Amino acid sequence: MANQDERRVDTRIEDHSVLELKIMFASEAPGLLGKNVSGSTVDVSASGLGLSLNCEVPVDSTLDLRVTLKDDFKKFFLSGKVRWCKPSSESGMFQVGVALHERTDVDTDLDNWKKAIAT
């Protein structure tokens, strides 16, 4: 039986290749503003990111992220909302789910991100 809670529309790709992750804005946690966060992607899709981070990020926080994937050294400026955050089995780390979205007040690289993930 399929998981009733599964709401993903795009296929997730297991990926552990983030080189840089910077929180450019966090609506629910102003103390994270401008913070370089240690961690990596767990999985990526055209519409979201599964992250493993060294800090807790409040659910419903809007994040602006700069992400660089190892296989594509182009930097992507993305924006998204934290859907969930929970402690990881790895000490001091947190698993975070981010749903990506467009913004009306600033240009993001979401279209280019979707193309890069599709290839």
Side-chain angles (χ1 to χ4, degrees):
M1 182 171 159
N3 182 348
Q4 297 284 340
D5 294 329
E6 184 66 47
R7 296 179 209 146
R8 289 180 184 87
V9 235
D10 296 308
T11 304
R12 289 181 296 163
I13 302 163
E14 186 174 336
D15 183 288
H16 302 277
S17 63
V18 164
L19 298 175
E20 178 183 357
L21 181 68
K22 184 170 186 172
I23 298 178
M24 307 297 285
F25 176 75
S27 62
E28 303 301 315
L32 295 176
L33 176 67
K35 183 173 182 172
N36 287 310
V37 178
S38 295
S40 66
T41 55
V42 175
D43 55 55
V44 298
S45 75
S47 60
L49 301 169
L51 305 173
S52 177
L53 303 177
N54 69 343
C55 66
E56 186 172 11
V57 183
V59 171
D60 289 333
S61 290
T62 297
L63 303 179
D64 290 345
L65 308 167
R66 192 174 358 179
V67 180
T68 306
L69 298 177
K70 283 182 184 173
D71 294 339
D72 182 350
F73 292 103
K74 181 183 183 305
K75 292 183 183 202
F76 295 92
F77 174 73
L78 303 170
S79 188
K81 184 167 270 203
V82 174
R83 294 296 182 202
W84 52 267
C85 180
K86 61 185 178 184
S88 171
S89 57
E90 188 178 341
S91 179
M93 299 297 284
F94 293 86
Q95 298 294 314
V96 181
V98 177
L100 299 174
H101 58 78
E102 286 286 359
R103 296 214 1 214
T104 56
D105 59 334
V106 69
D107 289 334
T108 69
D109 296 318
L110 187 58
D111 288 338
N112 290 331
W113 171 263
K114 289 178 179 181
K115 289 175 190 169
I117 296 301
T119 57

